[in-house]
Amino acid sequence: MAEDGATTNDDYSPVEVEVPVNFEPADNSNNPAATTRPRGRDRSESVISEPDPDPLASEQAAAAELEAANTTAMRNVILRPAPFHKIVLTGGPCGGKTTALARLSSYLRERGFEVITCPEAYGILFLNGFEVTYFGTDGMGMVVQDTVMKLQESMEDGFEKVLRARGKPAVLLCDRGLMDGAAYMSSAEWDELLQRRGIKNVCELREGRYNAVFHLITAAEGADKFYTLENNEVRTETPEQARVVDAKTRAAWIGHPKLCVFDNSTNFEGKLQRLVDTAAQLVGLPAHLSRSTTKFLLKSRPNLDAFPEDVKYHIFSVEKAYLYDDNKLMQKPEDWKLSRSTSAIDSTIAEEYSFIRKRTSISTKNGRRLGSAYGQTTVQRTVNGQTIEVKRIISRREYNAAYKGRDRSRHVVKQTRISFLYNMQSFNIHIYDEPVSDLCILHAQAEVSTSDPSSPDKRAAGGGDVGAAGGAKVDLPPFLDVERRLTSSKEDEEQYGAFSISRIGE
């Protein structure tokens, strides 16, 4: 699935830039450094565009809060000594969320994680007396969605605080998330709801809040004979209605860098195994996923006018700064006190690095910046070829502090990114702006579970425009000009990997 690119991970990575809606190549004729591999000093000395109003006051307040914390639990809440992940499980009716939540929570607990599942807010409302007939009251839809969002937010925040207070590696599994409400409202109603709640930046409800979003496609889409509502009294949709709700829910989450879509191309057990493997990879556990061939080199920048009308996209400006080894914000996976989680991880690390990322949402209407979300990733590559990535959401203050101590031997990598869904697969286009500007890479959701014999890489590829990603089927969008698939070879990594591109030449 992905990392900053709606579903692939950030092996070839990121950045930021003032983004016009039509991506015409910038005129860099007078700026050789922007079109060739960089030489000389880092040119990104002033990329921080949102400084803290009063950093000293923030630090003093944090110090006072820590001093007042007189219990281990409260200190853990403030210091956050252990990794924490918040994952949304969403999708259309009868997609397998309930079973997936149970399977995933057991899997993670067995490997040493503290796990809490956060129930669906609307379900709580419905199961405690709310009736569908209430919607007959004018304006009730807005009241219900406002209530659901407030309840969901409160439960998630409370459960997160409890898990953080434990001071151990933890995962919060959410039965739907705050963006789900957009699937049940018109865009005008959704905007009104956000305005009422004082939410100016939708990133706060999406990538700024959740580490990943797992969308389980309804059985009504590709597994019709298994579609049933007998095990969920909250839902009443027909198969046709279920497909519509599923599509709207997918659309609501477009733009999250780790939006993972699980379709019905395998049997249900295979679907669950793909989800578990993806979650394992997310939290830094060994997984059975092949993701070395999910990237494609584009011949040119995408033409947004060529996108079909039904393919909705989001635009982001990203900046990515690499850190020195002694300036990491998070623990290494092997340092976590997990019962069995890291025993299978090769302790011989061939390469390790860490980076921070600022991801700014750009309006597709006027190019205005809508708000930013911040994160950090630590990457370890073992001698046996395994890649372990651990991510966490960080605050703007943490980002700014780490940015000041970034690795000055590397450029801050900047990209424009376009996130979209096509044929129920998630894609993200990385358009490099600095230190190179003639490079466009398509990241495709094509993780394949080698532990699942019914997964796409074990079956014959179907028809359509397909890119062979290590045997995995990738339906390449016909409106993009793809040159070739990128591999995990040293040559491709050196030429197209952000880690290599960031190096400042002699």
Side-chain angles (χ1 to χ4, degrees):
M1 314 257 144
E3 178 231 296
D4 292 3
T7 41
T8 65
N9 270 301
D10 227 355
D11 296 359
Y12 301 108
S13 290
V15 38
E16 139 151 3
V17 62
E18 201 62 68
V19 182
V21 176
N22 294 313
F23 293 96
E24 294 298 327
D27 180 7
N28 293 306
S29 57
N30 296 320
N31 184 7
T35 56
T36 61
R37 282 300 174 83
R39 289 188 173 87
R41 72 180 188 87
D42 184 352
R43 299 182 298 104
S44 52
E45 298 297 326
S46 59
V47 297
I48 295 294
S49 56
E50 302 174 79
D52 286 318
D54 188 346
L56 180 59
S58 297
E59 292 178 8
Q60 291 175 338
E65 185 179 13
L66 180 59
E67 186 176 356
N70 56 5
T71 66
T72 299
M74 288 309 299
R75 284 194 292 272
N76 286 339
V77 170
I78 297 170
L79 296 176
R80 301 185 173 188
F84 173 82
H85 300 272
K86 186 189 296 185
I87 303 172
V88 173
L89 272 70
T90 186
C94 193
K97 277 195 302 98
T98 302
T99 304
L101 281 166
R103 172 75 68 87
L104 190 53
S105 59
S106 295
Y107 173 86
L108 293 170
R109 287 191 185 103
E110 289 172 359
R111 285 152 182 80
F113 285 89
E114 306 275 315
V115 182
I116 292 180
T117 56
C118 184
E120 179 186 3
Y122 179 74
I124 293 176
L125 194 64
F126 186 89
L127 295 175
N128 286 278
F130 178 83
E131 297 180 7
V132 176
T133 55
Y134 289 8
F135 284 113
T137 301
D138 181 48
M140 182 58 75
M142 179 64 69
V143 172
V144 169
Q145 291 300 333
D146 182 49
T147 300
V148 166
M149 181 178 285
K150 184 176 182 179
L151 178 58
Q152 188 79 36
E153 182 179 34
S154 178
M155 287 192 298
E156 288 180 11
D157 291 348
F159 292 177
E160 177 177 342
K161 186 173 183 179
V162 169
L163 285 172
R164 288 194 182 278
R166 289 280 290 159
K168 299 180 179 180
V171 179
L172 177 60
L173 300 175
C174 303
D175 188 345
R176 299 195 180 278
L178 299 187
M179 289 298 297
D180 275 65
Y184 300 89
M185 309 177 76
S186 67
S187 57
E189 290 171 333
W190 176 250
D191 289 343
E192 181 183 346
L193 175 60
L194 297 185
Q195 185 176 12
R196 286 189 179 194
R197 297 192 60 77
I199 300 170
K200 298 180 180 179
N201 177 11
V202 74
C203 295
E204 299 173 17
L205 308 183
R206 199 174 54 208
E207 61 267 39
R209 187 173 182 86
Y210 306 102
N211 298 91
V213 179
F214 293 172
H215 182 105
L216 289 84
I217 298 291
T218 174
E221 190 76 66
D224 305 56
K225 65 180 181 180
F226 298 108
Y227 183 76
T228 178
L229 297 177
E230 292 181 2
N231 60 344
N232 190 340
E233 58 183 298
V234 175
R235 299 300 174 191
T236 60
E237 294 88 347
T238 64
E240 182 177 347
Q241 291 171 331
R243 287 189 285 271
V244 171
V245 169
D246 194 282
K248 289 183 176 180
T249 304
R250 291 197 302 271
W253 288 99
I254 292 177
H256 194 290
K258 192 64 176 176
L259 169 59
C260 307
V261 180
F262 300 93
D263 61 18
N264 299 304
S265 59
T266 63
N267 58 30
F268 186 61
E269 179 59 31
K271 185 178 185 179
L272 291 181
Q273 187 59 54
R274 282 182 282 145
L275 182 144
V276 169
D277 280 344
T278 303
Q281 193 175 57
L282 178 74
V283 301
L285 295 174
H288 302 284
L289 285 175
S290 169
R291 47 181 293 275
S292 61
T293 54
T294 59
K295 304 166 187 69
F296 299 83
L297 180 65
L298 299 184
K299 294 180 180 179
S300 61
R301 291 191 171 214
N303 177 9
L304 294 182
D305 292 335
F307 277 51
E309 199 169 315
D310 61 342
V311 176
K312 307 301 180 185
Y313 57 84
H314 288 247
I315 302 172
F316 300 90
S317 165
V318 180
E319 76 178 22
K320 180 179 186 178
Y322 290 90
L323 307 179
Y324 287 110
D325 287 345
D326 59 355
N327 192 32
K328 290 181 174 63
L329 299 177
M330 59 199 303
Q331 294 171 300
K332 299 177 184 178
E334 67 267 23
D335 291 336
W336 302 350
K337 295 178 175 60
L338 304 183
S339 59
R340 295 191 298 157
S341 64
T342 58
S343 60
I345 295 179
D346 191 331
S347 59
T348 306
I349 304 300
E351 182 179 46
E352 178 178 356
Y353 59 88
S354 183
F355 60 85
I356 52 174
R357 181 180 55 259
K358 173 183 175 183
R359 196 168 186 265
T360 302
S361 181
I362 306 296
S363 171
T364 57
K365 297 178 181 180
N366 55 26
R368 186 170 61 88
R369 294 171 183 265
L370 303 177
S372 301
Y374 307 84
Q376 190 211 355
T377 300
T378 293
V379 180
Q380 291 182 332
R381 292 197 174 101
T382 64
V383 293
N384 64 2
Q386 183 180 16
T387 298
I388 304 166
E389 292 187 355
V390 182
K391 309 173 189 297
R392 77 177 179 105
I393 297 168
I394 61 176
S395 67
R396 187 179 71 180
R397 183 166 63 87
E398 289 176 302
Y399 178 88
N400 287 353
Y403 183 87
K404 293 174 183 177
R406 69 191 182 280
D407 186 346
R408 301 286 174 150
S409 69
R410 294 180 177 275
H411 287 269
V412 172
V413 179
K414 296 187 177 183
Q415 293 175 336
T416 295
R417 294 190 180 182
I418 305 173
S419 299
F420 64 96
L421 292 175
Y422 175 74
N423 281 356
M424 286 185 284
Q425 286 184 302
S426 186
F427 293 91
N428 202 62
I429 302 172
H430 292 193
I431 305 171
Y432 280 77
D433 298 298
E434 293 182 21
V436 295
S437 63
D438 56 351
L439 179 61
C440 299
I441 296 175
L442 174 69
H443 288 229
Q445 173 189 311
E447 280 102 339
V448 180
S449 174
T450 57
S451 64
D452 172 25
S454 67
S455 62
D457 67 335
K458 305 291 183 181
R459 299 177 280 116
D465 190 6
V466 176
K473 178 180 176 181
V474 179
D475 292 319
L476 294 174
F479 46 88
L480 296 177
D481 196 1
V482 177
E483 180 171 329
R484 70 175 178 88
R485 175 175 62 84
L486 295 177
T487 70
S488 56
S489 68
K490 181 178 180 181
E491 293 74 19
D492 275 357
E493 288 282 353
E494 285 293 324
Q495 188 170 0
Y496 302 113
F499 188 61
S500 297
I501 290 175
S502 68
R503 294 194 189 102
I504 293 178
E506 297 296 332

